[in-house]
PDB file of all heavy atoms in Angstrom:
ATOM      1  N   LEU V   1     -19.461 -27.779   7.411  1.00 95.00           N
ATOM      2  CA  LEU V   1     -20.072 -27.003   6.298  1.00 95.00           C
ATOM      3  C   LEU V   1     -19.527 -27.439   4.928  1.00 95.00           C
ATOM      4  O   LEU V   1     -18.205 -27.536   4.854  1.00 95.00           O
ATOM      5  CB  LEU V   1     -19.905 -25.541   6.515  1.00 95.00           C
ATOM      6  CG  LEU V   1     -20.455 -24.565   5.542  1.00 95.00           C
ATOM      7  CD1 LEU V   1     -21.998 -24.751   5.493  1.00 95.00           C
ATOM      8  CD2 LEU V   1     -20.113 -23.108   5.912  1.00 95.00           C
ATOM      9  N   THR V   2     -20.332 -27.680   3.937  1.00 97.00           N
ATOM     10  CA  THR V   2     -19.792 -28.173   2.639  1.00 97.00           C
ATOM     11  C   THR V   2     -19.720 -26.982   1.638  1.00 97.00           C
ATOM     12  O   THR V   2     -20.684 -26.257   1.411  1.00 97.00           O
ATOM     13  CB  THR V   2     -20.740 -29.245   2.115  1.00 97.00           C
ATOM     14  OG1 THR V   2     -20.882 -30.337   3.065  1.00 97.00           O
ATOM     15  CG2 THR V   2     -20.235 -29.831   0.771  1.00 97.00           C
ATOM     16  N   LEU V   3     -18.446 -26.905   1.096  1.00 97.00           N
ATOM     17  CA  LEU V   3     -18.194 -25.887   0.071  1.00 97.00           C
ATOM     18  C   LEU V   3     -17.794 -26.588  -1.210  1.00 97.00           C
ATOM     19  O   LEU V   3     -17.352 -27.830  -1.168  1.00 97.00           O
ATOM     20  CB  LEU V   3     -17.063 -24.951   0.453  1.00 97.00           C
ATOM     21  CG  LEU V   3     -17.407 -23.859   1.461  1.00 97.00           C
ATOM     22  CD1 LEU V   3     -17.584 -24.419   2.868  1.00 97.00           C
ATOM     23  CD2 LEU V   3     -16.256 -22.859   1.552  1.00 97.00           C
ATOM     24  N   TYR V   4     -18.031 -25.971  -2.447  1.00 98.00           N
ATOM     25  CA  TYR V   4     -17.739 -26.614  -3.676  1.00 98.00           C
ATOM     26  C   TYR V   4     -16.595 -25.951  -4.333  1.00 98.00           C
ATOM     27  O   TYR V   4     -16.717 -24.729  -4.765  1.00 98.00           O
ATOM     28  CB  TYR V   4     -18.994 -26.536  -4.564  1.00 98.00           C
ATOM     29  CG  TYR V   4     -20.020 -27.566  -4.111  1.00 98.00           C
ATOM     30  CD1 TYR V   4     -20.834 -27.317  -2.961  1.00 98.00           C
ATOM     31  CD2 TYR V   4     -20.271 -28.732  -4.831  1.00 98.00           C
ATOM     32  CE1 TYR V   4     -21.748 -28.252  -2.581  1.00 98.00           C
ATOM     33  CE2 TYR V   4     -21.254 -29.682  -4.498  1.00 98.00           C
ATOM     34  CZ  TYR V   4     -21.972 -29.434  -3.327  1.00 98.00           C
ATOM     35  OH  TYR V   4     -22.957 -30.399  -2.926  1.00 98.00           O
ATOM     36  N   TYR V   5     -15.491 -26.640  -4.465  1.00 98.00           N
ATOM     37  CA  TYR V   5     -14.262 -26.186  -5.060  1.00 98.00           C
ATOM     38  C   TYR V   5     -14.023 -26.868  -6.461  1.00 98.00           C
ATOM     39  O   TYR V   5     -14.633 -27.902  -6.723  1.00 98.00           O
ATOM     40  CB  TYR V   5     -13.022 -26.488  -4.195  1.00 98.00           C
ATOM     41  CG  TYR V   5     -13.103 -25.785  -2.827  1.00 98.00           C
ATOM     42  CD1 TYR V   5     -13.167 -26.560  -1.702  1.00 98.00           C
ATOM     43  CD2 TYR V   5     -13.017 -24.420  -2.684  1.00 98.00           C
ATOM     44  CE1 TYR V   5     -13.224 -25.967  -0.432  1.00 98.00           C
ATOM     45  CE2 TYR V   5     -13.051 -23.785  -1.431  1.00 98.00           C
ATOM     46  CZ  TYR V   5     -13.114 -24.626  -0.306  1.00 98.00           C
ATOM     47  OH  TYR V   5     -13.163 -24.019   0.976  1.00 98.00           O
ATOM     48  N   ARG V   6     -13.076 -26.276  -7.222  1.00 97.00           N
ATOM     49  CA  ARG V   6     -12.735 -26.788  -8.472  1.00 97.00           C
ATOM     50  C   ARG V   6     -11.493 -27.689  -8.427  1.00 97.00           C
ATOM     51  O   ARG V   6     -10.551 -27.390  -7.665  1.00 97.00           O
ATOM     52  CB  ARG V   6     -12.530 -25.673  -9.468  1.00 97.00           C
ATOM     53  CG  ARG V   6     -12.133 -26.057 -10.860  1.00 97.00           C
ATOM     54  CD  ARG V   6     -11.974 -24.858 -11.755  1.00 97.00           C
ATOM     55  NE  ARG V   6     -10.821 -24.058 -11.330  1.00 97.00           N
ATOM     56  CZ  ARG V   6      -9.588 -24.223 -11.666  1.00 97.00           C
ATOM     57  NH1 ARG V   6      -9.192 -25.238 -12.437  1.00 97.00           N
ATOM     58  NH2 ARG V   6      -8.645 -23.377 -11.202  1.00 97.00           N
ATOM     59  N   ASP V   7     -11.478 -28.764  -9.236  1.00 96.00           N
ATOM     60  CA  ASP V   7     -10.240 -29.539  -9.288  1.00 96.00           C
ATOM     61  C   ASP V   7      -9.510 -29.256 -10.651  1.00 96.00           C
ATOM     62  O   ASP V   7      -9.919 -28.396 -11.413  1.00 96.00           O
ATOM     63  CB  ASP V   7     -10.513 -31.095  -9.149  1.00 96.00           C
ATOM     64  CG  ASP V   7     -11.141 -31.733 -10.399  1.00 96.00           C
ATOM     65  OD1 ASP V   7     -11.518 -30.994 -11.358  1.00 96.00           O
ATOM     66  OD2 ASP V   7     -11.301 -32.924 -10.410  1.00 96.00           O
ATOM     67  N   LYS V   8      -8.466 -29.985 -10.904  1.00 94.00           N
ATOM     68  CA  LYS V   8      -7.598 -29.685 -12.087  1.00 94.00           C
ATOM     69  C   LYS V   8      -8.342 -29.907 -13.363  1.00 94.00           C
ATOM     70  O   LYS V   8      -7.963 -29.399 -14.427  1.00 94.00           O
ATOM     71  CB  LYS V   8      -6.371 -30.594 -12.011  1.00 94.00           C
ATOM     72  CG  LYS V   8      -6.630 -32.092 -12.133  1.00 94.00           C
ATOM     73  CD  LYS V   8      -5.342 -32.892 -12.020  1.00 94.00           C
ATOM     74  CE  LYS V   8      -5.546 -34.356 -12.380  1.00 94.00           C
ATOM     75  NZ  LYS V   8      -6.660 -34.964 -11.521  1.00 94.00           N
ATOM     76  N   ASP V   9      -9.348 -30.800 -13.401  1.00 95.00           N
ATOM     77  CA  ASP V   9     -10.172 -31.098 -14.584  1.00 95.00           C
ATOM     78  C   ASP V   9     -11.381 -30.198 -14.777  1.00 95.00           C
ATOM     79  O   ASP V   9     -12.126 -30.458 -15.659  1.00 95.00           O
ATOM     80  CB  ASP V   9     -10.521 -32.585 -14.600  1.00 95.00           C
ATOM     81  CG  ASP V   9      -9.324 -33.499 -14.657  1.00 95.00           C
ATOM     82  OD1 ASP V   9      -8.389 -33.173 -15.430  1.00 95.00           O
ATOM     83  OD2 ASP V   9      -9.287 -34.538 -13.935  1.00 95.00           O
ATOM     84  N   GLY V  10     -11.540 -29.245 -13.880  1.00 96.00           N
ATOM     85  CA  GLY V  10     -12.697 -28.410 -14.001  1.00 96.00           C
ATOM     86  C   GLY V  10     -13.950 -29.014 -13.346  1.00 96.00           C
ATOM     87  O   GLY V  10     -15.096 -28.531 -13.690  1.00 96.00           O
ATOM     88  N   LEU V  11     -13.851 -30.035 -12.531  1.00 97.00           N
ATOM     89  CA  LEU V  11     -14.948 -30.584 -11.870  1.00 97.00           C
ATOM     90  C   LEU V  11     -15.198 -29.845 -10.478  1.00 97.00           C
ATOM     91  O   LEU V  11     -14.155 -29.488  -9.859  1.00 97.00           O
ATOM     92  CB  LEU V  11     -14.767 -32.076 -11.585  1.00 97.00           C
ATOM     93  CG  LEU V  11     -14.675 -32.981 -12.776  1.00 97.00           C
ATOM     94  CD1 LEU V  11     -14.320 -34.403 -12.351  1.00 97.00           C
ATOM     95  CD2 LEU V  11     -15.987 -33.032 -13.557  1.00 97.00           C
ATOM     96  N   LEU V  12     -16.401 -29.685 -10.147  1.00 98.00           N
ATOM     97  CA  LEU V  12     -16.747 -29.127  -8.770  1.00 98.00           C
ATOM     98  C   LEU V  12     -16.823 -30.314  -7.808  1.00 98.00           C
ATOM     99  O   LEU V  12     -17.548 -31.213  -7.974  1.00 98.00           O
ATOM    100  CB  LEU V  12     -18.051 -28.363  -8.830  1.00 98.00           C
ATOM    101  CG  LEU V  12     -17.969 -26.988  -9.496  1.00 98.00           C
ATOM    102  CD1 LEU V  12     -19.404 -26.393  -9.514  1.00 98.00           C
ATOM    103  CD2 LEU V  12     -16.938 -26.014  -8.824  1.00 98.00           C
ATOM    104  N   ILE V  13     -15.969 -30.168  -6.771  1.00 98.00           N
ATOM    105  CA  ILE V  13     -15.906 -31.160  -5.769  1.00 98.00           C
ATOM    106  C   ILE V  13     -16.438 -30.647  -4.370  1.00 98.00           C
ATOM    107  O   ILE V  13     -15.982 -29.666  -3.919  1.00 98.00           O
ATOM    108  CB  ILE V  13     -14.388 -31.611  -5.553  1.00 98.00           C
ATOM    109  CG1 ILE V  13     -13.703 -31.904  -6.798  1.00 98.00           C
ATOM    110  CG2 ILE V  13     -14.273 -32.674  -4.478  1.00 98.00           C
ATOM    111  CD1 ILE V  13     -14.277 -33.110  -7.560  1.00 98.00           C
ATOM    112  N   PRO V  14     -17.423 -31.362  -3.825  1.00 98.00           N
ATOM    113  CA  PRO V  14     -17.922 -30.897  -2.535  1.00 98.00           C
ATOM    114  C   PRO V  14     -16.933 -31.298  -1.415  1.00 98.00           C
ATOM    115  O   PRO V  14     -16.505 -32.423  -1.444  1.00 98.00           O
ATOM    116  CB  PRO V  14     -19.214 -31.601  -2.354  1.00 98.00           C
ATOM    117  CG  PRO V  14     -19.111 -32.856  -3.237  1.00 98.00           C
ATOM    118  CD  PRO V  14     -18.216 -32.462  -4.351  1.00 98.00           C
ATOM    119  N   VAL V  15     -16.606 -30.387  -0.641  1.00 97.00           N
ATOM    120  CA  VAL V  15     -15.684 -30.652   0.528  1.00 97.00           C
ATOM    121  C   VAL V  15     -16.219 -30.087   1.809  1.00 97.00           C
ATOM    122  O   VAL V  15     -16.537 -28.903   1.879  1.00 97.00           O
ATOM    123  CB  VAL V  15     -14.300 -30.000   0.292  1.00 97.00           C
ATOM    124  CG1 VAL V  15     -13.356 -30.254   1.440  1.00 97.00           C
ATOM    125  CG2 VAL V  15     -13.664 -30.563  -1.008  1.00 97.00           C
ATOM    126  N   THR V  16     -16.407 -31.020   2.776  1.00 95.00           N
ATOM    127  CA  THR V  16     -16.925 -30.591   4.133  1.00 95.00           C
ATOM    128  C   THR V  16     -15.770 -30.121   4.934  1.00 95.00           C
ATOM    129  O   THR V  16     -14.840 -30.899   5.181  1.00 95.00           O
ATOM    130  CB  THR V  16     -17.724 -31.704   4.761  1.00 95.00           C
ATOM    131  OG1 THR V  16     -18.863 -32.062   3.931  1.00 95.00           O
ATOM    132  CG2 THR V  16     -18.282 -31.210   6.116  1.00 95.00           C
ATOM    133  N   ARG V  17     -15.908 -28.897   5.560  1.00 94.00           N
ATOM    134  CA  ARG V  17     -14.869 -28.290   6.341  1.00 94.00           C
ATOM    135  C   ARG V  17     -15.370 -27.961   7.654  1.00 94.00           C
ATOM    136  O   ARG V  17     -16.607 -27.807   7.860  1.00 94.00           O
ATOM    137  CB  ARG V  17     -14.273 -27.034   5.591  1.00 94.00           C
ATOM    138  CG  ARG V  17     -13.830 -27.321   4.201  1.00 94.00           C
ATOM    139  CD  ARG V  17     -12.978 -26.190   3.741  1.00 94.00           C
ATOM    140  NE  ARG V  17     -11.804 -25.967   4.573  1.00 94.00           N
ATOM    141  CZ  ARG V  17     -10.904 -24.997   4.339  1.00 94.00           C
ATOM    142  NH1 ARG V  17     -11.059 -24.230   3.356  1.00 94.00           N
ATOM    143  NH2 ARG V  17      -9.865 -24.866   5.137  1.00 94.00           N
ATOM    144  N   ASN V  18     -14.485 -27.913   8.636  1.00 91.00           N
ATOM    145  CA  ASN V  18     -14.786 -27.472  10.015  1.00 91.00           C
ATOM    146  C   ASN V  18     -14.724 -25.883  10.016  1.00 91.00           C
ATOM    147  O   ASN V  18     -13.771 -25.260   9.569  1.00 91.00           O
ATOM    148  CB  ASN V  18     -13.765 -27.919  11.027  1.00 91.00           C
ATOM    149  CG  ASN V  18     -13.948 -29.363  11.302  1.00 91.00           C
ATOM    150  OD1 ASN V  18     -15.012 -29.920  11.190  1.00 91.00           O
ATOM    151  ND2 ASN V  18     -12.917 -30.033  11.701  1.00 91.00           N
ATOM    152  N   VAL V  19     -15.877 -25.275  10.346  1.00 91.00           N
ATOM    153  CA  VAL V  19     -15.969 -23.824  10.322  1.00 91.00           C
ATOM    154  C   VAL V  19     -16.415 -23.365  11.765  1.00 91.00           C
ATOM    155  O   VAL V  19     -17.272 -23.922  12.342  1.00 91.00           O
ATOM    156  CB  VAL V  19     -17.023 -23.291   9.384  1.00 91.00           C
ATOM    157  CG1 VAL V  19     -17.123 -21.851   9.303  1.00 91.00           C
ATOM    158  CG2 VAL V  19     -16.698 -23.851   7.932  1.00 91.00           C
ATOM    159  N   LEU V  20     -15.602 -22.424  12.290  1.00 90.00           N
ATOM    160  CA  LEU V  20     -15.994 -21.871  13.578  1.00 90.00           C
ATOM    161  C   LEU V  20     -17.411 -21.263  13.553  1.00 90.00           C
ATOM    162  O   LEU V  20     -17.774 -20.569  12.580  1.00 90.00           O
ATOM    163  CB  LEU V  20     -14.953 -20.817  14.087  1.00 90.00           C
ATOM    164  CG  LEU V  20     -13.499 -21.361  14.232  1.00 90.00           C
ATOM    165  CD1 LEU V  20     -12.601 -20.138  14.628  1.00 90.00           C
ATOM    166  CD2 LEU V  20     -13.502 -22.432  15.354  1.00 90.00           C
ATOM    167  N   LYS V  21     -18.169 -21.490  14.545  1.00 90.00           N
ATOM    168  CA  LYS V  21     -19.535 -20.969  14.651  1.00 90.00           C
ATOM    169  C   LYS V  21     -19.373 -19.462  14.661  1.00 90.00           C
ATOM    170  O   LYS V  21     -18.528 -18.846  15.321  1.00 90.00           O
ATOM    171  CB  LYS V  21     -20.230 -21.425  15.862  1.00 90.00           C
ATOM    172  CG  LYS V  21     -20.627 -22.954  15.813  1.00 90.00           C
ATOM    173  CD  LYS V  21     -21.351 -23.374  17.073  1.00 90.00           C
ATOM    174  CE  LYS V  21     -21.743 -24.883  17.034  1.00 90.00           C
ATOM    175  NZ  LYS V  21     -22.413 -25.288  18.209  1.00 90.00           N
ATOM    176  N   GLN V  22     -20.263 -18.812  13.858  1.00 89.00           N
ATOM    177  CA  GLN V  22     -20.246 -17.376  13.726  1.00 89.00           C
ATOM    178  C   GLN V  22     -21.536 -16.905  13.171  1.00 89.00           C
ATOM    179  O   GLN V  22     -22.272 -17.648  12.530  1.00 89.00           O
ATOM    180  CB  GLN V  22     -19.082 -16.944  12.777  1.00 89.00           C
ATOM    181  CG  GLN V  22     -19.171 -17.629  11.440  1.00 89.00           C
ATOM    182  CD  GLN V  22     -17.924 -17.500  10.617  1.00 89.00           C
ATOM    183  OE1 GLN V  22     -17.663 -16.463  10.024  1.00 89.00           O
ATOM    184  NE2 GLN V  22     -17.007 -18.501  10.620  1.00 89.00           N
ATOM    185  N   GLU V  23     -21.875 -15.609  13.324  1.00 88.00           N
ATOM    186  CA  GLU V  23     -22.991 -15.008  12.631  1.00 88.00           C
ATOM    187  C   GLU V  23     -22.674 -14.884  11.205  1.00 88.00           C
ATOM    188  O   GLU V  23     -21.587 -14.760  10.773  1.00 88.00           O
ATOM    189  CB  GLU V  23     -23.284 -13.671  13.262  1.00 88.00           C
ATOM    190  CG  GLU V  23     -23.803 -13.646  14.689  1.00 88.00           C
ATOM    191  CD  GLU V  23     -25.092 -14.441  14.789  1.00 88.00           C
ATOM    192  OE1 GLU V  23     -25.954 -14.250  13.991  1.00 88.00           O
ATOM    193  OE2 GLU V  23     -25.242 -15.247  15.737  1.00 88.00           O
ATOM    194  N   GLY V  24     -23.752 -14.957  10.345  1.00 90.00           N
ATOM    195  CA  GLY V  24     -23.560 -14.804   8.921  1.00 90.00           C
ATOM    196  C   GLY V  24     -22.788 -16.025   8.314  1.00 90.00           C
ATOM    197  O   GLY V  24     -21.957 -15.844   7.439  1.00 90.00           O
ATOM    198  N   LEU V  25     -23.105 -17.215   8.739  1.00 92.00           N
ATOM    199  CA  LEU V  25     -22.399 -18.351   8.267  1.00 92.00           C
ATOM    200  C   LEU V  25     -22.576 -18.642   6.820  1.00 92.00           C
ATOM    201  O   LEU V  25     -21.686 -19.048   6.098  1.00 92.00           O
ATOM    202  CB  LEU V  25     -22.861 -19.616   9.108  1.00 92.00           C
ATOM    203  CG  LEU V  25     -22.042 -20.881   8.954  1.00 92.00           C
ATOM    204  CD1 LEU V  25     -20.549 -20.572   9.253  1.00 92.00           C
ATOM    205  CD2 LEU V  25     -22.589 -21.992   9.839  1.00 92.00           C
ATOM    206  N   ALA V  26     -23.817 -18.474   6.296  1.00 95.00           N
ATOM    207  CA  ALA V  26     -24.026 -18.627   4.861  1.00 95.00           C
ATOM    208  C   ALA V  26     -23.191 -17.723   3.995  1.00 95.00           C
ATOM    209  O   ALA V  26     -22.586 -18.060   3.040  1.00 95.00           O
ATOM    210  CB  ALA V  26     -25.485 -18.474   4.578  1.00 95.00           C
ATOM    211  N   LYS V  27     -23.049 -16.509   4.473  1.00 95.00           N
ATOM    212  CA  LYS V  27     -22.264 -15.501   3.801  1.00 95.00           C
ATOM    213  C   LYS V  27     -20.758 -15.823   3.902  1.00 95.00           C
ATOM    214  O   LYS V  27     -20.023 -15.742   2.908  1.00 95.00           O
ATOM    215  CB  LYS V  27     -22.424 -14.126   4.473  1.00 95.00           C
ATOM    216  CG  LYS V  27     -21.626 -12.964   3.919  1.00 95.00           C
ATOM    217  CD  LYS V  27     -22.001 -11.696   4.564  1.00 95.00           C
ATOM    218  CE  LYS V  27     -21.118 -10.566   4.100  1.00 95.00           C
ATOM    219  NZ  LYS V  27     -21.409  -9.295   4.903  1.00 95.00           N
ATOM    220  N   ALA V  28     -20.285 -16.349   5.122  1.00 92.00           N
ATOM    221  CA  ALA V  28     -18.935 -16.796   5.230  1.00 92.00           C
ATOM    222  C   ALA V  28     -18.611 -17.983   4.334  1.00 92.00           C
ATOM    223  O   ALA V  28     -17.500 -18.081   3.796  1.00 92.00           O
ATOM    224  CB  ALA V  28     -18.727 -17.182   6.776  1.00 92.00           C
ATOM    225  N   ALA V  29     -19.611 -18.918   4.110  1.00 95.00           N
ATOM    226  CA  ALA V  29     -19.375 -20.081   3.268  1.00 95.00           C
ATOM    227  C   ALA V  29     -19.070 -19.589   1.915  1.00 95.00           C
ATOM    228  O   ALA V  29     -18.064 -20.082   1.253  1.00 95.00           O
ATOM    229  CB  ALA V  29     -20.622 -20.932   3.294  1.00 95.00           C
ATOM    230  N   VAL V  30     -19.823 -18.706   1.256  1.00 97.00           N
ATOM    231  CA  VAL V  30     -19.641 -18.215  -0.051  1.00 97.00           C
ATOM    232  C   VAL V  30     -18.221 -17.427  -0.140  1.00 97.00           C
ATOM    233  O   VAL V  30     -17.537 -17.540  -1.137  1.00 97.00           O
ATOM    234  CB  VAL V  30     -20.807 -17.351  -0.561  1.00 97.00           C
ATOM    235  CG1 VAL V  30     -20.460 -16.808  -1.956  1.00 97.00           C
ATOM    236  CG2 VAL V  30     -22.038 -18.222  -0.593  1.00 97.00           C
ATOM    237  N   SER V  31     -17.966 -16.670   0.939  1.00 95.00           N
ATOM    238  CA  SER V  31     -16.744 -15.953   0.940  1.00 95.00           C
ATOM    239  C   SER V  31     -15.529 -16.955   0.871  1.00 95.00           C
ATOM    240  O   SER V  31     -14.439 -16.614   0.318  1.00 95.00           O
ATOM    241  CB  SER V  31     -16.600 -15.113   2.269  1.00 95.00           C
ATOM    242  OG  SER V  31     -17.535 -14.138   2.280  1.00 95.00           O
ATOM    243  N   GLY V  32     -15.674 -18.154   1.377  1.00 95.00           N
ATOM    244  CA  GLY V  32     -14.682 -19.132   1.314  1.00 95.00           C
ATOM    245  C   GLY V  32     -14.405 -19.661  -0.021  1.00 95.00           C
ATOM    246  O   GLY V  32     -13.420 -20.489  -0.270  1.00 95.00           O
ATOM    247  N   LEU V  33     -15.231 -19.292  -1.045  1.00 98.00           N
ATOM    248  CA  LEU V  33     -15.017 -19.746  -2.412  1.00 98.00           C
ATOM    249  C   LEU V  33     -14.194 -18.714  -3.249  1.00 98.00           C
ATOM    250  O   LEU V  33     -13.840 -19.023  -4.353  1.00 98.00           O
ATOM    251  CB  LEU V  33     -16.373 -19.871  -3.116  1.00 98.00           C
ATOM    252  CG  LEU V  33     -17.405 -20.817  -2.435  1.00 98.00           C
ATOM    253  CD1 LEU V  33     -18.725 -20.746  -3.183  1.00 98.00           C
ATOM    254  CD2 LEU V  33     -16.935 -22.276  -2.445  1.00 98.00           C
ATOM    255  N   VAL V  34     -13.840 -17.583  -2.651  1.00 98.00           N
ATOM    256  CA  VAL V  34     -13.137 -16.474  -3.419  1.00 98.00           C
ATOM    257  C   VAL V  34     -11.704 -16.868  -3.531  1.00 98.00           C
ATOM    258  O   VAL V  34     -10.991 -17.358  -2.612  1.00 98.00           O
ATOM    259  CB  VAL V  34     -13.309 -15.160  -2.689  1.00 98.00           C
ATOM    260  CG1 VAL V  34     -12.541 -14.117  -3.364  1.00 98.00           C
ATOM    261  CG2 VAL V  34     -14.796 -14.857  -2.581  1.00 98.00           C
ATOM    262  N   ASN V  35     -11.120 -16.535  -4.682  1.00 97.00           N
ATOM    263  CA  ASN V  35      -9.681 -16.779  -5.027  1.00 97.00           C
ATOM    264  C   ASN V  35      -8.814 -15.788  -4.332  1.00 97.00           C
ATOM    265  O   ASN V  35      -8.508 -14.715  -4.847  1.00 97.00           O
ATOM    266  CB  ASN V  35      -9.521 -16.742  -6.511  1.00 97.00           C
ATOM    267  CG  ASN V  35      -8.101 -17.058  -6.939  1.00 97.00           C
ATOM    268  OD1 ASN V  35      -7.313 -17.542  -6.075  1.00 97.00           O
ATOM    269  ND2 ASN V  35      -7.790 -16.784  -8.181  1.00 97.00           N
ATOM    270  N   GLU V  36      -8.398 -16.154  -3.098  1.00 96.00           N
ATOM    271  CA  GLU V  36      -7.489 -15.301  -2.274  1.00 96.00           C
ATOM    272  C   GLU V  36      -6.238 -16.172  -1.911  1.00 96.00           C
ATOM    273  O   GLU V  36      -6.367 -17.344  -1.900  1.00 96.00           O
ATOM    274  CB  GLU V  36      -8.171 -14.767  -1.046  1.00 96.00           C
ATOM    275  CG  GLU V  36      -9.429 -13.923  -1.251  1.00 96.00           C
ATOM    276  CD  GLU V  36      -9.117 -12.592  -1.913  1.00 96.00           C
ATOM    277  OE1 GLU V  36      -7.909 -12.283  -2.133  1.00 96.00           O
ATOM    278  OE2 GLU V  36     -10.021 -11.846  -2.272  1.00 96.00           O
ATOM    279  N   PRO V  37      -5.136 -15.441  -1.731  1.00 96.00           N
ATOM    280  CA  PRO V  37      -3.913 -16.269  -1.477  1.00 96.00           C
ATOM    281  C   PRO V  37      -3.987 -17.291  -0.386  1.00 96.00           C
ATOM    282  O   PRO V  37      -3.522 -18.397  -0.526  1.00 96.00           O
ATOM    283  CB  PRO V  37      -2.857 -15.066  -1.117  1.00 96.00           C
ATOM    284  CG  PRO V  37      -3.382 -13.965  -1.802  1.00 96.00           C
ATOM    285  CD  PRO V  37      -4.868 -14.017  -1.806  1.00 96.00           C
ATOM    286  N   VAL V  38      -4.575 -16.922   0.797  1.00 95.00           N
ATOM    287  CA  VAL V  38      -4.634 -17.865   1.827  1.00 95.00           C
ATOM    288  C   VAL V  38      -5.555 -19.046   1.544  1.00 95.00           C
ATOM    289  O   VAL V  38      -5.257 -20.180   1.921  1.00 95.00           O
ATOM    290  CB  VAL V  38      -5.191 -17.150   3.165  1.00 95.00           C
ATOM    291  CG1 VAL V  38      -6.612 -16.732   2.968  1.00 95.00           C
ATOM    292  CG2 VAL V  38      -4.973 -18.081   4.359  1.00 95.00           C
ATOM    293  N   THR V  39      -6.600 -18.855   0.796  1.00 95.00           N
ATOM    294  CA  THR V  39      -7.488 -19.968   0.336  1.00 95.00           C
ATOM    295  C   THR V  39      -6.794 -20.866  -0.637  1.00 95.00           C
ATOM    296  O   THR V  39      -6.849 -22.053  -0.536  1.00 95.00           O
ATOM    297  CB  THR V  39      -8.807 -19.420  -0.242  1.00 95.00           C
ATOM    298  OG1 THR V  39      -9.386 -18.493   0.643  1.00 95.00           O
ATOM    299  CG2 THR V  39      -9.784 -20.555  -0.505  1.00 95.00           C
TER     300      THR V  39
END
């Protein structure tokens, strides 16, 4: 699944990650963009 993160220059970088299959995957993808300590 591809998520879009920021780099040091303020560019959005697409990064494909391995995500465990789960219900609500689209919702989980956006949750992965939130600024939390573990992320």
Side-chain angles (χ1 to χ4, degrees):
L1 179 63
T2 303
L3 285 72
Y4 285 74
Y5 298 114
R6 179 179 64 86
D7 75 353
K8 67 183 187 305
D9 294 321
L11 294 174
L12 285 177
I13 309 295
V15 177
T16 300
R17 304 195 59 181
N18 286 334
V19 181
L20 295 177
K21 291 181 179 179
Q22 56 193 278
E23 290 299 316
L25 191 56
K27 180 179 175 183
V30 177
S31 296
L33 304 174
V34 177
N35 183 11
E36 299 294 353
V38 67
T39 307

